Amino acid sequence: MREYLYKILVVGDLGTGKTSIIRRYVHNIFSTNYKSTIGVDFALKVIQWGPDIIVRLQLWDIAGQERFGNMTRVYYKEALGAIVVYDITRPQTFEGVTKWKRDIDAKVALPEAWGGGQIPVILLANKTDLIQEGHGQHANPAELDHFCKENGFIQWFETSAKDNSNIEEATRSLISAIVELQQENVNNDNHDENNVSLDQQYQQQTQNSGCC
């Protein structure tokens, strides 16, 4: 049995529903009475990902105003994935999406053993339940597809913590991307180890076989 520990950042402007998403995903509860997160909060979820893989998720709920502080570099350290959230009924929160993504790209990267580079990030258009109440409108799929491609998001989802829609699917998409990177790294390590052992065997053979 293999166990993977993944630190996931959940970021976005103030009031976009980050805490609600995390609590729905981890505890399957929803409330309209959450107070704004101050600094950072944490949640843990253990997932039986496959017959021989357990994934332990550390979800870091970063306060909406933290992007303007200097602590995000500390909060982001060793993260392997991120979720950027905006409120689909408040277009101004979408304007913050690119700023959060640039902040993540500037302050955290995949481990060097994994080849470095940007961590996988998904985009959530949250609070779709409010659209049914006459607030805002659904995202334009073609526009968001183009936006994600241009800005390095691996995928986007419309979500609602209240209705519990697409939160599980979105999170599985992000975990899948990280697990794939993890397994590629393991396979590369095994390949390197095999090469080392073969090289060592070759050197021993050449040392043991003298010409005279």
Side-chain angles (χ1 to χ4, degrees):
M1 182 69 68
R2 289 172 291 171
E3 291 194 13
Y4 297 153
L5 176 62
Y6 297 153
K7 176 179 175 178
I8 306 294
L9 308 174
V10 183
V11 302
D13 284 359
L14 191 67
T16 53
K18 300 181 295 296
T19 302
S20 295
I21 287 171
I22 291 172
R23 294 194 180 182
R24 171 63 83 180
Y25 178 64
V26 175
H27 305 294
N28 197 26
I29 59 175
F30 176 80
S31 171
T32 57
N33 298 321
Y34 295 141
K35 295 180 180 179
S36 297
T37 303
I38 299 175
V40 63
D41 201 358
F42 308 89
L44 179 66
K45 186 176 178 74
V46 180
I47 304 165
Q48 184 73 47
W49 186 255
D52 61 344
I53 296 177
I54 291 176
V55 172
R56 297 181 181 274
L57 284 188
Q58 282 185 350
L59 295 160
W60 286 51
D61 182 0
I62 312 294
Q65 64 270 28
E66 282 298 324
R67 179 168 51 82
F68 305 103
N70 296 320
M71 288 299 293
T72 51
R73 190 177 297 274
V74 176
Y75 297 152
Y76 291 176
K77 189 176 181 181
E78 297 180 351
L80 295 176
I83 299 169
V84 179
V85 185
Y86 77 96
D87 181 344
I88 201 167
T89 69
R90 292 192 292 141
Q92 66 271 26
T93 63
F94 182 74
E95 296 172 7
V97 166
T98 51
K99 296 174 183 177
W100 281 103
K101 180 63 164 61
R102 284 198 298 265
D103 196 48
I104 291 168
D105 292 344
K107 294 176 180 176
V108 66
L110 290 170
E112 291 185 9
W114 294 20
Q118 296 177 353
I119 63 174
V121 183
I122 61 171
L123 175 64
L124 302 189
N126 194 38
K127 301 191 180 182
T128 55
D129 55 281
L130 295 178
I131 296 175
Q132 300 170 10
E133 300 175 9
H135 304 284
Q137 59 185 3
H138 286 284
N140 182 309
E143 289 181 359
L144 268 193
D145 284 346
H146 179 73
F147 176 84
C148 287
K149 185 176 180 180
E150 289 291 307
N151 291 278
F153 290 90
I154 62 171
Q155 208 166 353
W156 66 272
F157 295 85
E158 285 191 343
T159 57
S160 167
K162 183 177 181 179
D163 295 344
N164 195 20
S165 61
N166 278 338
I167 292 174
E168 182 77 29
E169 292 81 356
T171 311
R172 286 190 67 85
S173 170
L174 181 59
I175 297 170
S176 293
I178 302 172
V179 168
E180 186 175 339
L181 287 167
Q182 175 95 53
Q183 292 179 331
E184 285 176 0
N185 177 53
V186 169
N187 291 335
N188 288 338
D189 283 348
N190 290 339
H191 179 69
D192 292 340
E193 289 173 2
N194 290 337
N195 286 343
V196 170
S197 62
L198 288 172
D199 289 342
Q200 289 173 341
Q201 289 176 8
Y202 175 76
Q203 290 173 0
Q204 289 174 351
Q205 288 174 355
T206 54
Q207 288 172 355
N208 294 336
S209 60
C211 60
C212 50

